């Protein structure tokens, strides 16, 4: 039987598409075991015929190190090639190279131009990232209202990251009037799509009764779902549930295990909570020196509550030598962040 969809393709185009489709099967495990090396081999054969989807997919493999060693320079070359051939996903991805500055010189304005162009062509990721640039004032003048508009448009296309960002806007009143119930609904929509950050946010809403009825068991469920996807913040929050006995049987030992996993993944909440347990000997043998080190790491990772604990460490010599000057420094940092040290 003739495949009408392929009957209009030239022999070269037919072969290029055949290699690409086979690569997709190995990449996704569609009827065959997942095998990234075989996926790459097929993408490479297809790319030799300048089949743009294969060029882009091959670039993604080099970005993520799937079936090949990670190689950002090679990835950039492939993504740029696909973008110049009109591939919208590649154009969007190219913007990230300029945003991150890992291969080319960082250029937020250039990134914004690319995100804006892909957004105009209907790419929800481009619209979402354009919103992020407006929210942070990167490459454009900071504008929370414009950021909210961008996130909202991308969210309408069922883009989970954008749905989560709209949730944040409603949660914190950024560019729109704060509305906890709307925040929860947007978080929930993104969480249902398997977006780990949103799953953690739904868990926090359930834990605190923010925008939804307080439900500790539901909070635990969502923290577990997010943790399974590797979100270290959710793992720390799950640890908090075990430490306090919210939604699960109380277990300081289990909490320490979870905090340790989170801290090792450079999660500031995990580092902070593990530090408190080690300082107090809660669920683990007391280790004030390690506690102090973890408080420092949490502070370096931007966790403001750690400033107050460091101030106390330097004041009382907990895990380190007393240092009045550093104690005063961290007291000020803590107060400026809204967490004044309790004398």
């Amino acid at each position: 039987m003739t495949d009408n969809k392929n009957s209009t393709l030239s022999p070269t185009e037919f072969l290029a598409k055949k290699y690409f489709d086979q690569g997709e099967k190995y990449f996704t495990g569609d009827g065959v075991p997942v095998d990234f090396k075989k996926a790459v081999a097929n993408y490479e054969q297809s790319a030799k015929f300048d089949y743009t989807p294969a060029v882009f997919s091959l670039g993604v493999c080099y970005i993520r190190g799937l079936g090949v060693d990670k190689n950002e320079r090679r990835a950039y070359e492939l993504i740029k090639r696909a973008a110049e051939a009109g591939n919208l996903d590649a154009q969007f991805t190219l913007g990230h190279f300029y945003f991150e500055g890992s291969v080319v010189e960082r250029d937020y304005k250039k990134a914004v131009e690319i995100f804006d162009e892909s957004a105009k062509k209907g790419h929800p990721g481009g619209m979402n990232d354009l919103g992020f640039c407006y929210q942070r004032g990167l490459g454009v003048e900071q504008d929370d209202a414009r950021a909210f508009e961008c996130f909202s448009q991308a969210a309408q296309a069922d883009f989970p990251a954008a749905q989560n960002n709209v949730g944040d806007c409603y949660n914190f009143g950024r560019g729109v009037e704060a509305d906890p119930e709307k925040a929860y609904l947007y978080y929930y929509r993104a969480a249902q799509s398997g977006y780990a950050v949103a799953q953690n946010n739904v868990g926090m809403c359930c834990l605190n009764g923010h925008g939804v009825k307080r439900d500790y068991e539901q909070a635990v469920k969502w923290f577990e779902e997010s943790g399974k996807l590797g979100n270290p913040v959710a793992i720390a929050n799950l640890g908090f549930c075990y430490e306090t006995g919210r939604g699960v049987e109380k277990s300081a030992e289990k909490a320490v295990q979870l905090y340790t996993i989170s801290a090792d993944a450079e999660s500031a909440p995990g580092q902070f909570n593990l530090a408190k347990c080690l300082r107090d000997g809660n669920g683990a043998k007391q280790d004030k020196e390690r506690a102090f080190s973890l408080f420092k790491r949490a502070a370096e990772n931007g966790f403001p509550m750690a400033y107050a604990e460091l101030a106390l460490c330097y004041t009382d010599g907990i895990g380190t030598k007393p240092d009045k000057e550093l104690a005063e420094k961290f007291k000020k940092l803590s107060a400026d962040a809204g967490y004044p040290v309790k004398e």
Side-chain angles (χ1 to χ4, degrees):
M1 183 181 291
T2 302
D3 185 343
N4 292 329
K5 289 187 293 184
N6 292 328
S7 61
T8 59
L9 299 177
S10 70
T12 299
E13 291 170 333
F14 178 84
L15 191 57
K17 187 176 186 306
K18 183 178 179 181
Y19 277 123
F20 173 73
D21 289 344
Q22 190 64 26
E24 290 288 271
K25 287 182 178 180
Y26 280 116
F27 192 91
T28 62
D30 181 12
V32 295
V34 171
D35 190 325
F36 294 128
K37 287 187 177 180
K38 287 184 179 179
V40 166
N42 279 281
Y43 290 151
E44 286 178 336
Q45 289 298 320
S46 183
K48 288 178 181 178
F49 297 104
D50 287 326
Y51 192 65
T52 303
V55 175
F56 171 69
S57 293
L58 190 56
V60 171
C61 288
Y62 276 103
I63 289 173
R64 297 169 61 186
L66 299 174
V68 289
D69 292 334
K70 272 188 176 184
N71 186 328
E72 289 192 337
R73 172 57 61 180
R74 177 64 176 146
Y76 170 75
E77 293 168 353
L78 289 162
I79 297 298
K80 187 171 185 288
R81 177 177 153 194
E84 290 172 348
N87 185 282
L88 192 54
D89 286 330
Q91 291 170 357
F92 160 69
T93 305
L94 185 64
H96 279 272
F97 282 100
Y98 288 100
F99 187 88
E100 294 163 8
S102 57
V103 177
V104 294
E105 185 177 352
R106 176 173 282 162
D107 188 335
Y108 289 131
K109 288 187 177 180
K110 178 71 173 177
V112 166
E113 289 175 8
I114 294 173
F115 294 149
D116 187 40
E117 187 63 28
S118 65
K120 288 175 181 175
K121 294 177 181 177
H123 197 292
M127 183 63 76
N128 179 67
D129 286 352
L130 183 62
F132 181 84
C133 290
Y134 273 108
Q135 188 176 73
R136 300 297 178 90
L138 300 172
V140 288
E141 186 175 345
Q142 198 277 337
D143 188 335
D144 280 337
R146 177 67 178 127
F148 176 73
E149 290 175 5
C150 292
F151 293 147
S152 296
Q153 288 184 48
Q156 289 173 11
D158 290 327
F159 194 69
Q163 292 169 339
N164 183 75
N165 286 334
V166 172
D168 280 343
C169 289
Y170 278 117
N171 193 17
F172 300 108
R174 294 174 183 157
V176 67
E177 186 177 348
D179 189 326
E181 291 184 0
K182 285 185 179 179
Y184 172 77
L185 290 174
Y186 275 96
Y187 287 150
Y188 187 76
R189 285 172 60 189
Q192 286 185 308
S193 298
Y195 192 62
V197 175
Q199 290 174 337
N200 177 69
N201 287 335
V202 170
M204 289 300 295
C205 289
C206 292
L207 183 70
N208 297 316
H210 189 71
V212 67
K213 184 179 178 181
R214 178 172 283 150
D215 188 328
Y216 293 143
E217 290 184 1
Q218 279 296 305
V220 167
K221 171 201 162 187
W222 284 109
F223 292 147
E224 287 177 338
E225 289 298 311
S226 184
K228 288 175 185 175
L229 295 174
N231 185 348
V233 176
I235 293 171
N237 288 332
L238 183 59
F240 175 79
C241 290
Y242 275 99
E243 184 181 3
T244 58
R246 296 179 180 177
V248 289
E249 186 176 347
K250 189 173 182 178
S251 173
E253 290 75 17
K254 178 68 173 177
V256 166
Q257 291 175 10
L258 291 165
Y259 291 152
T260 300
I261 293 170
S262 178
D264 288 346
E266 287 304 312
S267 162
Q271 292 162 347
F272 178 80
N273 287 331
L274 179 58
K276 290 200 299 179
C277 288
L278 293 172
R279 180 196 61 195
D280 301 334
N282 182 29
K285 184 179 179 181
Q286 190 175 55
D287 188 337
K288 294 181 180 181
E289 287 76 16
R290 189 176 170 215
F292 169 74
S293 177
L294 284 162
F295 282 136
K296 280 189 69 177
R297 283 169 60 190
E300 289 165 358
N301 284 325
F303 199 68
M305 291 173 68
Y307 299 148
E309 298 298 339
L310 283 174
L312 294 173
C313 287
Y314 282 118
T315 298
D316 301 330
I318 301 172
T320 187
K321 292 181 179 180
D323 189 315
K324 184 177 180 181
E325 186 176 336
L326 285 173
E328 290 302 317
K329 170 189 171 182
F330 281 103
K331 279 183 183 179
K332 185 177 187 310
L333 285 172
S334 185
D336 290 345
Y339 297 95
V341 177
K342 295 179 181 179
E343 301 292 348

